[in-house]
Amino acid sequence: MTDEKYDLFVIGAGSGGVRAARIAAGYGAKVGIAEGRDMGGTCVNRGCVPKKLLVYSSKMPREFEDAKAFGWTQSGAVHFQWPDLIRNKDREIARLNKIYDDLLGKAGVTVIRGYARFTSAQEIEIEGQKIKADKFLIAVGGHPHKPDIPGSEHMITSDEAFHLPALPENIVIIGGGYIAVEFAGIFKGMGSHVTLINRGKSLLRPFDEYLRENLAAEMGKQGMSLHYNCEPVKIEKKSDGFHLHTSQNTVLVCDAVMAATGRTPNTETLGLQAAGIVTGSAGKIKTDKENRTNIAHIYALGDVANDHNLTPVAIEEGHALADRLFGGKPDRYIDYDTIPTAIFSRPPIGTVGMSEAQARETGATLEIYESAFRPMKNTMSGRDEKSYLKLIVDKNSRRVLGAHMLGEDAPEIIQAIGIVLKMKGTKEDFDRTIGIHPTAAEEFVTMRTPRV
Ligand code: NDP
C-alpha cells in the first residue's frame, strides 16, 4: 500500500477533529482524517444530538396534558412507541453523518475509515495502511465510564440508552452529573419510574447551590426518587429484573441500571507509548496552551485533552488550532473564561460565569439577586413547576459575575446572557435594558432587590 504524507493528519472525526480538518484544508493544507466509528463523534451519534431529540420526545406528554387548560381536547388515546422514536432518531443521525462526510469531502479532506494507532512519533497505521504527516492531531474523545463493581456488565451507559429495544419501566441511574439528570428527565418524561442514586450529598456538584437545590426539588415533585450519599455495591440479574445493592443496604429492583458516572478518554489503543506521548490525570493527554502534547508536532484537543467535555469548546479549539497552524493567525486562541453551559434536565438549566460559592472564594463583596416564579403557561395549566433565576454581582465593580437559570428555555436565554458576561456587563447594564413582556427572560432585567 502506498505511503501517504500529509501536512496534518487528524485522528477522530468528532466535533473538534472535523472542524480542525476542514479549516486546515481550507487554508490549502493536505489533510487526512481517520474515523473508526461514526462520522461526527460522540455529540452527533451518542451525545448532544440524540439526547436533545429524546428530550423533545419526553416533553410531549406534558404538552398533551397542559393543552386541556388551553381549550384543546383529543378524542382518542395518545400512545408512545419507543421503537418509532429510536428509528426516527437514527434516521436523523444518519442524515447528519452524511453531512459531515460531505463537508469533509468538499473541503478536500481525505477520509480514511478505521482506527489509527501510532507506530512511532512520525507514523500511524490504519488497518495496515501506514501514514506519515508533518503534524498529527488527536481528537478521539472519550467513552462512558462504569463503576467497577460485581455485576457491572449488567449496566448500560448513555451509549446503550440510545438503542434500548424498549422503554424501561423502572430504571436506576447512577451518578449526579450532566448525563444522570438529563436521562432521569428523559425516562421520567416518557413514563418510566426513575430512581437516581448519587454518591454525593447533592446533584451537579460544581453548579450554583440555588440551581442544584431547586432542580432536586422539581425532580422530586415529578416523582423521581433521589438517593444521596448512596453508592452502587453490586448488581445481580434475577428473574424479576436486576437487583442493585447499595451502600445504604438497600436493594433496588429494576429492569435497567444506567451508569452516568463520567467519561474516560479513548487513548487505550492509540499507541501513545510508541509515540512517546504523556498522559495525565484520568488518562487525559497533557497539552499546553498551543494544544501541543509533549511531542512537538503532535497536538490533542477536545474531550481527550481538555477538562470541559463540551462540543462547542472542542469545535472552537479545532478551529483556532487550524487558524494558528495554517491560517497565518498566530494569536488566535480560545477564551476559556465564562463558557456558558446547559443541562437539558427537567426543567433545564442554563448557566454562565461563577457560582455564588466560587464568587465568594474570590473575596469580592457580592450582591445576590434571586427570583422564583411560576411561568405564565403553568399558572393557566395548573402545573406546579417554577422557574428560578439568579444573578451574582460584584458590589464594587458592579460586574455581573454569574447568571444562572433553572426553568423552561433556560439554555436559550443563558446563551444570550453569555454575551453580556463576555462583554464584562454590569448590573446597571441589565437594569437599563427594557424587558420583553411577557417572558421569563425579562426577570433578568427587572430584579431590583438583592437577597444579600
Ligand atoms: P459528570 O462528571 O458530570 O458526573 C459524574 C457523576 O458520577 C458525578 O455525580 C460523580 O460523583 C459520579 N461518579 C463518578 N464516579 C462514580 C462512581 N465510581 N460511583 C458512583 N458515582 C460516581 O459526568 P457525566 O457522565 O454526567 O458527563 C460527562 C461529561 O459530559 C460532563 O462533564 C459534561 O461536560 C459532558 N456532557 C455535557 C452535556 C451538556 O453540555 N448538556 C450533556 C451530557 C454530558 P462526584 O460528583 O462525587 O464526583
Side-chain angles (χ1 to χ4, degrees):
M1 210 159 279
T2 335
D3 282 5
E4 292 276 2
K5 177 92 193 258
Y6 292 88
D7 297 321
L8 174 70
F9 197 91
V10 181
I11 307 173
S15 303
V18 167
R19 178 60 69 92
R22 281 177 48 214
I23 301 301
Y27 288 129
K30 179 173 163 60
V31 182
I33 192 165
E35 175 54 60
R37 212 168 166 186
D38 313 298
M39 299 304 288
T42 301
C43 175
V44 170
N45 296 285
R46 294 168 293 283
C48 333
V49 173
K51 180 270 310 286
K52 188 83 188 275
L53 297 175
L54 264 55
V55 166
Y56 283 129
S57 173
S58 72
K59 286 163 71 170
M60 303 283 168
R62 59 192 269 167
E63 294 295 326
F64 291 129
E65 272 172 38
D66 291 355
K68 282 183 213 133
F70 295 88
W72 292 90
T73 49
Q74 69 215 20
S75 43
V78 177
H79 296 289
F80 174 59
Q81 300 294 342
W82 170 266
D84 289 354
L85 168 65
I86 298 303
R87 194 178 47 252
N88 292 342
K89 179 262 299 173
D90 287 344
R91 191 183 309 129
E92 173 57 12
I93 287 169
R95 189 182 72 84
L96 296 174
N97 294 147
K98 185 166 178 322
I99 288 176
Y100 268 71
D101 245 338
D102 290 349
L103 282 173
L104 287 165
K106 279 191 195 131
V109 176
T110 304
V111 179
I112 300 182
R113 306 308 299 256
Y115 287 101
R117 182 177 60 84
F118 284 96
T119 51
S120 71
Q122 279 68 43
E123 186 186 79
I124 57 171
E125 190 179 304
I126 307 169
E127 321 241 325
Q129 185 176 356
K130 304 221 191 281
I131 289 167
K132 289 191 178 354
D134 280 344
K135 296 177 174 60
F136 289 99
L137 170 60
I138 304 170
V140 293
H143 61 274
H145 154 268
K146 286 183 189 177
D148 185 15
I149 58 166
S152 63
E153 69 276 12
H154 300 307
M155 286 178 200
I156 60 164
T157 66
S158 51
D159 279 6
E160 294 80 28
F162 290 119
H163 297 284
L164 290 175
L167 178 70
E169 272 179 38
N170 200 325
I171 184 165
V172 177
I173 299 177
I174 306 167
Y178 277 78
I179 296 180
V181 299
E182 287 185 342
F183 272 91
I186 287 169
F187 284 120
K188 183 67 200 168
M190 289 175 183
S192 305
H193 180 77
V194 173
T195 305
L196 184 147
I197 69 166
N198 181 29
R199 69 179 178 185
K201 62 178 174 21
S202 63
L203 302 174
L204 298 173
R205 194 157 43 90
F207 288 75
D208 190 274
E209 192 92 352
Y210 189 58
L211 301 184
R212 296 155 63 187
E213 280 174 7
N214 287 308
L215 176 63
E218 291 293 343
M219 288 169 74
K221 279 200 275 184
Q222 292 161 35
M224 294 182 225
S225 176
L226 310 178
H227 300 250
Y228 300 105
N229 303 310
C230 184
E231 291 194 50
V233 172
K234 72 171 173 185
I235 303 172
E236 294 172 309
K237 190 175 179 187
K238 298 214 169 167
S239 57
D240 59 344
F242 297 109
H243 287 214
L244 172 69
H245 296 252
T246 76
S247 56
Q248 295 179 337
N249 292 323
T250 53
V251 180
L252 302 167
V253 181
C254 58
D255 50 4
V257 180
M258 176 172 165
T261 48
R263 297 178 59 87
T264 306
N266 286 332
T267 49
E268 275 161 31
T269 58
L270 261 183
L272 294 183
Q273 270 190 330
I277 298 167
V278 171
T279 53
S281 66
K284 289 213 172 190
I285 296 177
K286 281 190 182 169
T287 52
D288 63 10
K289 174 171 173 253
E290 311 289 332
N291 304 102
R292 215 186 269 269
T293 68
N294 60 307
I295 307 296
H297 65 285
I298 304 181
Y299 299 79
L301 54 74
D303 291 5
V304 76
N306 73 32
D307 288 329
H308 296 281
N309 280 13
L310 297 169
T311 279
V313 173
I315 290 174
E316 196 52 14
E317 285 179 340
H319 200 129
L321 179 69
D323 280 349
R324 286 199 306 275
L325 295 181
F326 301 101
K329 298 178 184 168
D331 299 327
R332 167 84 157 93
Y333 290 98
I334 110 160
D335 178 358
Y336 291 96
D337 266 355
T338 58
I339 295 172
T341 184
I343 302 181
F344 295 92
S345 45
R346 191 181 162 90
I349 282 176
T351 177
V352 58
M354 292 184 207
S355 67
E356 183 176 339
Q358 288 164 342
R360 295 217 177 277
E361 275 171 25
T362 67
T365 310
L366 304 178
E367 271 177 10
I368 306 292
Y369 295 82
E370 286 174 353
S371 173
F373 57 93
R374 199 139 75 114
M376 188 190 256
K377 186 176 171 201
N378 294 354
T379 56
M380 183 119 142
S381 67
R383 183 169 293 283
D384 179 24
E385 183 178 289
K386 286 189 186 159
S387 290
Y388 305 84
L389 280 63
K390 178 165 179 172
L391 283 179
I392 293 157
V393 179
D394 181 326
K395 195 169 181 170
N396 297 320
S397 72
R398 309 303 300 148
R399 269 186 66 189
V400 176
L401 303 177
H404 310 284
M405 179 171 175
L406 167 70
E408 224 31 62
D409 301 323
E412 307 287 342
I413 293 167
I414 289 291
Q415 176 68 83
I417 291 191
I419 304 169
V420 184
L421 266 71
K422 193 53 92 190
M423 295 174 75
K424 304 189 185 340
T426 63
K427 179 67 170 70
E428 283 63 36
D429 291 325
F430 278 74
D431 292 346
R432 65 196 168 83
T433 302
I434 306 288
I436 299 176
H437 187 72
T439 62
E442 70 180 312
E443 199 70 11
F444 269 121
V445 295
T446 53
M447 289 192 278
R448 293 287 184 266
T449 313
R451 186 199 80 209
V452 282

